[in-house]
Amino acid sequence: MPAAPAIAALLATADDLLTEAPGDAGPLTPAGRDRGAAYALRIALEAAVDAALAAEETGLGGLRSMRAKLLCLHHCAGPARARRAHALWNRLSAACKYHHDELGPTHAQVRIWRADVETLVAELVAPGTAVGFPQQREVGSPLRRETPTR
C-alpha cells in the first residue's frame, strides 16, 4: 500500500516533535511542538482514511471533504471504527487551530492521541478490515414490512 510509508513518516515526525529535548528544539516552543505533532497526526489519520476508502474500490477515493470521507468510512470500516476516527479527527483538528484566547493541546493529550492514531491507522490500513457496504433489503422482507396503522 503506497500510503503506508507516508503514514509511518508522519507518525515518526510526531514522535520526533513529542520527544525532542527542550534545548534541542531550536525556534519551536513546547506548545509549538505539541501543535506540530497534532498536525502530523491529523494528516496521518487522513491518509489512513483515504487508503481505507481507496482499498474498497467503490469510487469513494475521489471525495474531497474529510467529513464526507468519515461518513463513508462507516460503510467501509464499520461504525465503531468510523466513530473513533471521526472523534479523533475532530480533536486533532481543534488542536491544530490557534486561538489567542484558548489553550492549545497539552503534551499529555497529544501523546494519547498519538497512541490512538497509531492503533486506528493499523486497523484501517490492515488488509481484511473492510466491512463492505450493507445490502439492500427487499421491500417485502420481514424487517421492512409495515403494519397497518388503523
Side-chain angles (χ1 to χ4, degrees), residues 45 48-49 52 56 66 69-89 91 116-132:
L45 181 59
V49 169
E56 279 297 299
M66 189 60 186
K69 291 175 185 180
L70 289 168
L71 286 173
C72 292
L73 193 63
H74 278 268
H75 298 291
C76 297
R81 279 191 197 114
R83 278 192 298 272
R84 286 175 36 222
H86 197 179
L88 190 53
W89 184 79
R91 286 186 208 118
D116 291 345
V117 167
E118 183 175 33
T119 302
L120 195 53
V121 162
E123 291 175 12
L124 289 174
V125 299
T129 58
V131 174

Side-chain angles (χ1 to χ4, degrees), residues 10-132:
L10 287 163
L11 293 175
T13 298
D15 286 340
D16 289 346
L17 288 167
L18 290 172
T19 57
E20 203 163 325
D24 300 336
L28 290 177
T29 64
R33 288 195 313 272
D34 293 338
R35 194 175 308 277
Y39 267 110
L41 292 173
R42 187 181 80 179
I43 295 168
L45 181 59
E46 290 172 354
V49 169
D50 287 343
L53 291 176
E56 279 297 299
E57 298 178 7
T58 58
L60 299 175
L63 294 172
R64 292 188 180 193
S65 165
M66 189 60 186
R67 293 190 190 281
K69 291 175 185 180
L70 289 168
L71 286 173
C72 292
L73 193 63
H74 278 268
H75 298 291
C76 297
R81 279 191 197 114
R83 278 192 298 272
R84 286 175 36 222
H86 197 179
L88 190 53
W89 184 79
N90 280 334
R91 286 186 208 118
L92 289 167
S93 293
C96 293
K97 294 177 176 72
Y98 174 79
H99 299 284
H100 69 280
D101 58 343
E102 293 180 12
L103 294 174
T106 66
H107 189 73
Q109 282 175 321
V110 180
R111 283 203 163 281
I112 291 169
W113 294 335
R114 165 60 176 92
D116 291 345
V117 167
E118 183 175 33
T119 302
L120 195 53
V121 162
E123 291 175 12
L124 289 174
V125 299
T129 58
V131 174

